[in-house]
Amino acid sequence: MQKLIALYALILSLIILPSCKDAQNPSKETAMEPQFGGNVTVGISSDVDVLNPLFSQDIISGTINDLIFGALNYSEFDLEKGELVYLPNLANSWEISPDNRSVKYHLNIALRWSDGYKFTADDVQFSYYLYTHPEVGSVRQDMTSYFISEGKTKVEIEKAVKVENDSTVVFNFNQSADDPLFVSGLPILPKHIFEKIKLKDLFVNDVNQNPVGIGPFKFQKWDKQQQIILVRNDSVNYIKIPYLEKLTFKILPDYNNRINQLKSGEIDLAQNLRPEDAQTIKKDFNKLNVEKISGRDYDYIGWNCIDHEQFVNSGNKKITPHKLFGDSKVRQALTYAINRKEMLEGFFGEFGNIAVTPISSIFKTKANTDLLPYEFNPNKAKQLLSESGWKDSNDDKIIDKNGIPFKFKLMIPAGKPQREYAATIIKINLLAVGIEVEIEVVEPSVFFENMFTKKYDAWIAGWTIPLDLDFEGFWSSDLEKNFFNVTSYQNKEVDEIFAKLKLTNDIEATRELLFRFQEILHRDQPTTFLYWVDNLVGYNVRLKNLQLNPLAFTNRAWEWFVVSEK
C-alpha cells in the first residue's frame, strides 16, 4: 500500500522551460525509417512490487506488466477527443450489445504464451476467475461488482465470462456497463500456469517474480533493486513485434544519480524531471530531448471532514463532523485564504495550472470549465469564518469557537520540496485570517499509512487520476468500501451520481452527471485542489518514435527504435 501511495505522490517542477515539447503536440520523428535491433535503458525511481497484474499496485509495476501481459483490447488516450479509445490486441475484434450488458470477443488464437503454450478463451475466463475470486485477494477485485447480482457474493464465472469456443468469449454484466471495453480490458494470465497454484498461495508464489506473458515484450531477468530486463516478443503471430531487441528498466532511487546518468548516456530515458534540470538539458545537452505529459497529476490539501478519532474508536461506525473542518463553509474559507497562484508561479512556472476539480481540461467533454477557481480573497475567508462562528474572542489573534482555538498540524511527506514550499505559503496565508498552522514533515512510508488510516487532520498529497474517470473509490461515502476516500467526505447526492453513472451509457447523461459531481465538490471543498503539474520526460535523441501519452510514458513502446550515432 505504501508503494501505491508513493506513486501517487508527485515529483514536481520548479522553473520555466520555454522550448519544451508537449506530448499533446508531439514531434514528427516518425518519418524516419524504423530500424530493428538495439537496446534502451529507462531509469526508474523504485523497484516494482510484483510482476503480476493480480497484485501489482504501483504505477511502474503496472507499466511494466502491461508490456509483458496483453489484454484483449489495447487502450490509449485520444488527445483530440479527450477520451480513451480501444484497439485490437489479443482479440482481433469485438461486438458490444446495444444495452452495454455484454461484449463478445473474437480472439487471435494463433498467439502463444512466452513459454510456447497456445492462447485460448479459457485463459480469458480463468483470468477473470482469479481477478474476482475472494480467496485470491486481487487488488482488482472491484471488477466483481460488474458481474454479481444483488445478494450474491461470488461471481458465477461460467456465465459471467462465457467460453463459446477456443476463439470466442463473451462477457456478461449484471447491468449496463458504462465502458464495457474497459471492464473487459484487464491483462490476461496463462491458465496452464496459474491453475496449478492454490489460490491462497498465489500472492507468494514464484510466478510473481518470473512471469509468463503474452505481450510485446518477454520477461528475461529481474535483479532486485537493480534492474528488470525485457526482450522482444518476436512471435510471427504477434501484431506488435517491437523494433527494440531489449528494454531495460534500471532502478535508480536517487534523483540526482538518475539525472546524471541521463546526461551521461548511461540511461536513455527518465521521467519526472525537475524544471531546472529540464531547462539545463535543453540548453546544454544537444543529445537529449524533453517532452511533457499534462493533465493527470494534481496536488491537494486534504481536510479531514469527520472526527477521525471518534470514527476509529467506534470501530469505524460513528461519523460526526470534524471540529475544525466539518463545515463546508469553513473549508470554502480556507480555500479563499490560500494563494495558489503564488505557489504555482513561484515553484512551477508554466508547468502547471490551478486545479478546480479532480477532472482536468484534457478530458475535453467531461471537465466542467464553467467552474472557476476560488480567488485569493482573505476578506471573503474572514467573512465566511465569522458566519460559521469563528471569531477572536480573547484578542490573541487566533480565532476560536466554543473555547476551541483554530489551530492544527499540516502534515507533508519528506522529500517533496514543492509541498514544503506550498506549506510555508499556507502557514503564512492562514495566520493572516487568524488560523495557526504547524507544519510537520514525515517519512513517506509513515505519512501514507497514517493518511489512509485517517490519523491526520490536514495534509498535502497528490493523486494520479484514473483515465476512466471512475471516482467512486475516492469520493463515495461508504468508508469501508472506498479506501481512497481519505478525507471521509460524505454526500448522498454524490453517491447517487455514482450509482446513476453505472446505469447509463449515454454520453450526454454521463457528461451531465460528471458536471454535477464537480459542482458539488467545488461547493463543498472537501479538499483544496491546489494545482495540476506536468510530468517532464527526458530522453536521448537516438531513441525515436516516442509517443508519450497520459496513459503512460511507455505508450506504444513496441514502436520505439534507436538510430546509430554518426
Side-chain angles (χ1 to χ4, degrees):
M1 180 53 63
Q2 293 164 0
K3 277 192 173 182
L4 169 67
I5 310 308
L7 281 158
Y8 286 130
L10 307 175
I11 298 174
L12 301 182
S13 39
L14 198 59
I15 52 178
I16 296 174
L17 179 65
S19 56
C20 177
K21 296 174 185 174
D22 190 328
Q24 272 79 339
N25 298 289
S27 58
K28 301 295 183 184
E29 293 180 332
T30 53
M32 188 173 291
E33 187 67 24
Q35 302 175 21
F36 277 95
N39 305 327
V40 163
T41 301
V42 175
I44 56 177
S45 60
S46 61
D47 205 350
V48 303
D49 46 12
V50 293
L51 291 174
N52 184 341
L54 284 172
F55 305 114
S56 64
Q57 298 189 67
D58 65 73
I59 291 177
I60 194 64
S61 297
T63 299
I64 296 174
N65 280 328
D66 285 345
L67 298 173
I68 300 173
F69 297 93
L72 297 182
N73 57 62
Y74 173 75
S75 61
E76 59 185 13
F77 193 78
D78 187 314
L79 293 164
E80 293 296 324
K81 295 180 179 178
E83 61 187 25
L84 283 173
V85 294
Y86 298 91
L87 303 166
N89 198 38
L90 303 186
N92 293 321
S93 62
W94 53 79
E95 299 141 23
I96 302 172
S97 66
D99 61 0
N100 273 25
R101 295 193 63 163
S102 71
V103 53
K104 176 184 285 190
Y105 282 97
H106 303 282
L107 311 183
N108 176 6
I109 58 171
L111 294 170
R112 300 276 177 172
W113 293 94
S114 57
D115 60 359
Y117 273 73
K118 185 179 178 182
F119 164 66
T120 74
D122 286 338
D123 293 310
V124 179
Q125 185 188 68
F126 195 74
S127 297
Y128 274 79
Y129 166 74
L130 295 177
Y131 281 121
T132 58
H133 199 291
E135 196 171 336
V136 175
S138 171
V139 296
R140 287 157 183 82
Q141 199 175 338
D142 59 338
M143 287 293 172
T144 303
S145 64
Y146 287 95
F147 298 110
I148 63 172
S149 301
E150 189 174 353
K152 296 183 179 179
T153 58
K154 190 175 178 181
V155 173
E156 297 178 71
I157 197 67
E158 291 80 10
K159 296 180 180 178
V161 185
K162 184 178 179 181
V163 173
E164 291 194 348
N165 52 54
D166 276 0
S167 65
T168 309
V169 63
V170 182
F171 286 76
N172 294 305
F173 310 117
N174 64 353
Q175 59 188 18
S176 176
D178 57 338
D179 191 346
L181 296 182
F182 186 86
V183 177
S184 55
L186 291 178
I188 302 303
L189 301 161
K191 180 181 178 181
H192 66 279
I193 299 287
F194 284 86
E195 68 180 351
K196 298 174 184 174
I197 306 169
K198 292 181 180 179
L199 297 181
K200 64 181 179 61
D201 296 334
L202 277 172
F203 184 69
V204 295
N205 193 277
D206 183 61
V207 73
N208 301 326
Q209 324 294 324
N210 189 25
V212 171
I214 194 168
F217 289 89
K218 295 188 290 187
F219 171 80
Q220 184 182 69
K221 186 180 182 184
W222 180 5
D223 298 319
K224 296 289 182 68
Q225 300 300 328
Q226 296 183 51
Q227 62 180 356
I228 298 165
I229 300 176
L230 310 182
V231 295
R232 178 170 59 210
N233 179 359
D234 52 6
S235 167
V236 294
N237 296 310
Y238 200 68
I239 60 174
K240 298 181 176 64
I241 298 175
Y243 292 112
L244 297 178
E245 184 176 337
K246 183 187 292 184
L247 180 57
T248 300
F249 291 87
K250 189 174 183 180
I251 298 150
L252 300 167
D254 182 78
Y255 173 81
N256 291 325
N257 185 25
R258 203 159 59 247
I259 296 304
N260 288 336
Q261 293 203 20
L262 177 67
K263 293 176 179 176
S264 68
E266 293 174 81
I267 63 174
D268 297 290
L269 185 149
Q271 60 171 340
N272 293 317
L273 305 187
R274 295 171 183 165
E276 70 268 31
D277 292 313
Q279 187 179 49
T280 300
I281 286 171
K282 287 295 296 182
K283 181 181 177 184
D284 300 331
F285 292 83
N286 58 11
K287 292 186 177 181
L288 295 175
N289 282 335
V290 176
E291 295 189 29
K292 66 179 182 179
I293 303 173
S294 303
R296 287 198 67 190
D297 303 315
Y298 72 86
D299 270 13
Y300 69 92
I301 311 171
W303 309 117
N304 202 331
C305 297
I306 68 169
D307 185 328
H308 50 93
E309 291 183 4
Q310 190 174 69
F311 177 70
V312 172
N313 292 336
S314 66
N316 298 347
K317 294 180 180 177
K318 193 168 185 179
I319 294 178
T320 55
H322 190 280
K323 62 181 180 182
L324 300 181
F325 310 121
D327 182 348
S328 62
K329 185 176 284 188
V330 169
R331 298 193 297 267
Q332 291 172 7
L334 293 167
T335 302
Y336 275 118
I338 293 169
N339 192 343
R340 292 175 290 170
K341 185 178 179 183
E342 181 184 0
M343 293 177 197
L344 194 64
E345 294 179 348
F347 203 97
F348 305 107
E350 69 180 42
F351 295 109
N353 296 287
I354 290 178
V356 182
T357 77
I359 301 180
S360 78
S361 59
I362 70 168
F363 300 92
K364 295 182 178 178
T365 61
K366 307 291 177 55
N368 189 343
T369 54
D370 292 335
L371 300 173
L372 300 176
Y374 281 51
E375 62 180 336
F376 173 53
N377 190 336
N379 289 331
K380 179 71 173 179
K382 290 177 182 176
Q383 175 196 330
L384 292 173
L385 289 166
S386 178
E387 290 173 3
S388 296
W390 290 94
K391 299 177 181 177
D392 182 6
S393 63
N394 56 5
D395 294 326
D396 66 350
K397 300 187 184 305
I398 301 300
I399 58 175
D400 55 83
K401 180 180 179 180
N402 300 326
I404 300 173
F406 207 135
K407 300 179 178 179
F408 66 91
K409 284 186 178 180
L410 181 63
M411 313 300 294
I412 55 176
K416 303 294 180 186
Q418 75 282 357
R419 292 176 188 161
E420 293 185 29
Y421 181 83
T424 301
I425 292 177
I426 292 165
K427 179 182 175 74
I428 294 169
N429 289 161
L430 293 187
L431 186 60
V433 298
I435 297 173
E436 184 175 309
V437 177
E438 179 184 349
I439 300 169
E440 185 168 328
V441 182
V442 182
E443 283 301 312
S445 59
V446 176
F447 173 88
F448 290 112
E449 180 176 351
N450 287 343
M451 183 184 77
F452 276 91
T453 52
K454 304 183 184 304
K455 293 180 180 175
Y456 293 151
D457 295 308
W459 64 93
I460 303 177
W463 290 116
T464 296
I465 61 170
L467 285 172
D468 64 337
L469 300 183
D470 182 357
F471 291 103
E472 183 173 14
F474 298 84
W475 300 106
S476 189
S477 301
D478 190 332
L479 301 182
E480 293 290 333
K481 291 183 179 178
N482 302 300
F483 183 72
F484 295 115
N485 184 358
V486 287
T487 63
S488 303
Y489 177 58
Q490 306 286 299
N491 188 293
K492 290 183 179 178
E493 187 179 354
V494 167
D495 297 341
E496 291 170 0
I497 286 173
F498 291 135
K500 291 176 181 176
L501 283 169
K502 289 182 177 177
L503 297 175
T504 184
N505 55 17
D506 181 81
I507 294 174
E508 184 58 28
T510 298
R511 190 185 72 86
E512 290 179 2
L513 288 167
L514 287 175
F515 268 39
R516 179 57 184 157
F517 162 66
Q518 291 169 86
E519 288 173 359
I520 294 169
L521 288 193
H522 186 261
R523 179 197 67 199
D524 288 353
Q525 294 290 295
T527 69
T528 292
F529 297 97
L530 292 176
Y531 33 73
W532 295 96
V533 294
D534 298 332
N535 178 8
L536 299 174
V537 180
Y539 62 95
N540 197 299
V541 295
R542 81 185 190 97
L543 177 56
K544 303 296 182 184
N545 209 20
L546 261 70
Q547 300 181 54
L548 301 179
N549 188 281
L551 194 71
F553 71 92
T554 51
N555 178 56
R556 292 180 174 267
W558 58 88
E559 296 182 359
W560 293 2
F561 64 95
V562 293
V563 294
S564 302
E565 294 186 34
K566 295 181 179 178

